[in-house]
Amino acid sequence: PGLRAILSESCGRVKAMALTHQLLYERKDFSRIDLGDYLRRLVQSIRASYRAGSDRITLQLTPPEESVHLDLERAIPCGLLVNELVTNSFKHAFPGERRGEIVIELAEEPVGQICLSVADNGIGLPPESDLAQNSPLGLQLVPLFVEQLHGSLLIERKGGTRFSMIFPKRQNGKDDQ
């Protein structure tokens, strides 16, 4: 990728981290953030960055019914993870003038787990695609972010691509309620 693309991707990562800190200061709670609110604002920021293609690619967030709070230590990798996956979809899933949608879903499971998915109905990842090698840097970072969340990752390649992550709501026995 060219220098302009690298700078743009880096800028997106910085915005995702800065948004975390902005929310902490706004809410006067420096230990956790409302993940649904964070993702809503992150989606607005990403949408603004890709406004040229916004008429042919829709980006939507399906938030949880109730607030889901996440500690700061894991909020940053979670935001970076979503930023990488959505950015990758915008850049690669809809070549040419192809139309489509990107959907982010967030839900809390009764067993103390958070389910987060980023899906698109684009051209999909090739079957031989391996996130550890021969992928853009952003996709190579995805498993690292999932590991920082102490979660698991499932990739589906039917009718586009879906990245599904499941990770514990509480970290190290701490209650984030």
Side-chain angles (χ1 to χ4, degrees), residues 52-125:
S54 63
D55 59 333
R56 63 182 182 85
I57 302 169
T58 60
L59 174 60
Q60 68 179 42
L61 169 67
T62 304
E65 291 182 18
E66 294 183 22
S67 293
V68 174
H69 290 95
L70 193 63
D71 56 275
L72 176 60
E73 186 176 324
R74 292 181 306 144
I76 291 174
C78 187
L80 289 170
L81 173 67
V82 170
N83 183 70
E84 295 303 333
L85 292 173
V86 171
T87 299
N88 189 69
S89 288
F90 265 109
K91 288 171 44 182
H92 303 291
F94 308 102
E97 294 300 311
R98 185 179 175 118
R99 302 179 80 78
E101 69 177 351
I102 304 166
V103 179
I104 303 164
E105 295 176 305
L106 175 65
E108 184 177 354
E109 296 294 309
V111 292
Q113 301 282 317
I114 295 173
C115 296
L116 175 64
S117 70
V118 177
D120 66 59
N121 62 354
I123 62 172
L125 289 173

Side-chain angles (χ1 to χ4, degrees), residues 38 43 47 52 68 76 124 136-137 144 170:
Y38 175 57
V43 163
R47 202 181 275 137
V68 174
I76 291 174
L137 175 61
L144 298 173
R170 292 171 189 82

Side-chain angles (χ1 to χ4, degrees), residues 3-166:
L3 181 59
R4 176 178 240 159
I6 292 170
L7 288 174
S8 176
E9 289 173 19
S10 296
C11 186
R13 292 178 186 120
V14 170
K15 284 181 183 177
M17 289 187 287
L19 180 57
T20 308
H21 294 281
Q22 181 180 345
L23 285 171
L24 291 172
Y25 288 113
E26 285 177 9
R27 305 290 187 264
K28 307 270 190 274
D29 181 349
F30 301 106
S31 62
R32 64 186 188 153
I33 64 168
D34 180 329
L35 193 53
D37 187 33
Y38 175 57
L39 292 178
R40 198 171 5 266
R41 292 179 58 179
L42 182 61
V43 163
Q44 290 172 351
S45 175
I46 295 169
R47 202 181 275 137
S49 297
Y50 286 92
R51 63 182 166 266
S54 63
D55 59 333
R56 63 182 182 85
I57 302 169
T58 60
L59 174 60
Q60 68 179 42
L61 169 67
T62 304
E65 291 182 18
E66 294 183 22
S67 293
V68 174
H69 290 95
L70 193 63
D71 56 275
L72 176 60
E73 186 176 324
R74 292 181 306 144
I76 291 174
C78 187
L80 289 170
L81 173 67
V82 170
N83 183 70
E84 295 303 333
L85 292 173
V86 171
T87 299
N88 189 69
S89 288
F90 265 109
K91 288 171 44 182
H92 303 291
F94 308 102
E97 294 300 311
R98 185 179 175 118
R99 302 179 80 78
E101 69 177 351
I102 304 166
V103 179
I104 303 164
E105 295 176 305
L106 175 65
E108 184 177 354
E109 296 294 309
V111 292
Q113 301 282 317
I114 295 173
C115 296
L116 175 64
S117 70
V118 177
D120 66 59
N121 62 354
I123 62 172
L125 289 173
E128 69 279 359
S129 179
D130 179 3
L131 292 182
Q133 299 176 16
N134 303 324
S135 295
L137 175 61
L139 284 186
Q140 291 180 37
L141 294 172
V142 167
L144 298 173
F145 294 140
V146 172
E147 185 179 314
Q148 289 177 3
L149 292 168
H150 306 288
S152 60
L153 171 66
L154 174 66
I155 303 169
E156 299 170 67
R157 294 177 168 92
K158 294 179 185 159
T161 305
R162 173 182 293 274
F163 290 84
S164 299
M165 290 72 57
I166 298 175

